[in-house]
């Protein structure tokens, strides 16, 4: 029996317990200098658009494609949908569920980083910015505000004039997030709705401190692609393809 080959455009996820006979290649975008690598074969870098991905799928005789990219890596999801259709490869989207507000949260949902920047002056003066180093230009004109910007790698390009950079990679602890809010006297949090547990403690810390949270909604996703919320369900889907 020849192992099936499955390509994943994926950030590392926890290993799953179910076993499926498959040769897996994980593909990372290459935007982080020192990413945490998943087990198995790994490739780093782009494909050259949807056409390039389709050709890669054909050349490597891929039997299944799982789009397990970050919820805000919207472009690759559309490329994956187009490439899978062109190469006649089954496609599944693995999308971790988004965060849901609970009692005590003071959330301000917005549709983009630009909308987040526009909302900030009426919400606070000392901003905890956790949207990553990409897109800092949206906040560059807010000279009256002070930012604590946390990201895995140091930012470059336009950014707020009054900004301190904190390099860090999740998971983060609730005690650590409480201490950041206290020490830096933060009075507003900006985050993307990336979901998951690794960075969720900041939401609880903001709730406890009573500070508002500007939550950027996820970008649209391709229509018609089946979606699951856990790696275990993705493995079940793979197993079903071989039946």
């Amino acid at each position: 029996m020849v192992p099936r080959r499955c390509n994943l455009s994926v950030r590392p996820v926890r290993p799953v317990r179910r076993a499926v006979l498959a040769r897996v290649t994980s593909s990372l975008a290459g935007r982080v200098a020192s990413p945490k690598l998943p087990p198995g074969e790994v490739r780093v870098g782009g494909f050259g658009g949807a056409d390039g991905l389709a050709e890669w799928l054909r050349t490597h005789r891929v039997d299944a494609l799982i789009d397990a990219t970050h919820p805000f890596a919207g472009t690759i999801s559309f490329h994956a949908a187009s490439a899978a259709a062109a190469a006649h490869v089954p496609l599944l989207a693995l999308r971790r569920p988004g965060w849901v507000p609970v009692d005590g949260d003071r959330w301000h949902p917005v549709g983009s980083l630009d909308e987040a920047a526009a909302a900030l002056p009426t919400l606070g003066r000392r901003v905890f910015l956790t949207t990553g180093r990409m897109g800092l230009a949206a906040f560059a004109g807010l000279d009256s505000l002070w930012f604590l910007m946390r990201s895995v790698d140091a930012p470059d390009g336009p950014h707020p004039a009054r900004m301190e950079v904190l390099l860090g990679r999740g998971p983060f602890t609730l005690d650590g997030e409480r201490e950041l809010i206290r020490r830096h006297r933060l009075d507003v949090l900006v985050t993307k709705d990336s979901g998951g547990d690794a960075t969720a403690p900041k939401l609880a810390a903001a709730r406890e401190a009573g500070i508002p949270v500007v939550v950027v909604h996820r970008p649209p996703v391709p229509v018609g692609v089946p979606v699951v919320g856990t790696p275990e369900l993705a493995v079940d889907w793979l197993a079903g393809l071989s039946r």
Side-chain angles (χ1 to χ4, degrees):
M1 181 175 181
V2 178
R4 302 179 67 83
R5 179 165 188 139
C6 172
N7 180 67
L8 294 87
S9 292
V10 61
R11 298 179 69 186
V13 296
R14 292 176 294 179
V16 297
R17 291 173 292 182
R18 298 180 183 89
V20 174
L21 185 60
R23 179 184 174 189
V24 176
T25 300
S26 297
S27 176
L28 308 183
R31 293 190 175 182
V32 176
S34 299
K36 291 184 178 179
L37 299 180
E41 296 182 27
V42 178
R43 68 172 303 281
V44 179
F47 292 93
D51 291 342
L53 176 54
E55 182 59 28
W56 195 94
L57 296 176
R58 297 188 193 99
T59 299
H60 292 82
R61 301 174 62 189
V62 170
D63 293 307
L65 175 64
I66 297 179
D67 170 19
T69 51
H70 189 279
F72 282 82
T75 299
I76 185 60
S77 293
F78 284 91
H79 286 178
S82 296
H88 304 290
V89 171
L91 170 65
L92 178 74
L94 171 57
R95 307 201 187 284
R96 59 195 180 208
W99 292 317
V100 178
V102 300
D103 289 344
D105 282 328
R106 297 173 55 196
W107 285 16
H108 297 262
V110 296
S112 66
L113 292 178
D114 288 336
E115 289 183 21
L120 280 178
T122 63
L123 297 175
R125 287 299 189 212
R126 298 183 65 82
V127 183
F128 190 14
L129 187 59
T130 64
T131 56
R133 64 189 178 92
M134 310 296 291
L136 282 179
F139 305 92
L142 300 176
D143 295 339
S144 63
L145 306 185
W146 182 88
F147 292 82
L148 176 66
M149 195 286 293
R150 182 168 67 193
S151 67
V152 175
D153 293 325
D156 52 19
H159 58 78
R162 303 172 62 205
M163 183 179 77
E164 180 177 331
V165 176
L166 177 64
L167 299 182
R169 188 199 305 265
F172 301 105
T173 66
L174 179 55
D175 285 343
E177 302 295 59
R178 288 169 175 156
E179 174 60 19
L180 281 180
I181 291 175
R182 184 199 64 78
R183 184 181 353 128
H184 294 281
R185 296 177 287 114
L186 302 170
D187 57 13
V188 60
L189 165 67
V190 182
T191 184
K192 294 176 177 177
D193 179 18
S194 56
D197 298 329
T199 61
K202 63 190 172 187
L203 302 174
R207 184 188 315 123
E208 291 180 358
I211 66 175
V213 180
V214 180
V215 181
V216 183
H217 283 318
R218 297 178 177 188
V221 296
V223 176
V225 177
V227 179
V228 296
T230 67
E232 290 82 359
L233 291 175
V235 171
D236 289 344
W237 177 80
L238 282 175
L241 294 179
S242 60
R243 291 173 188 160

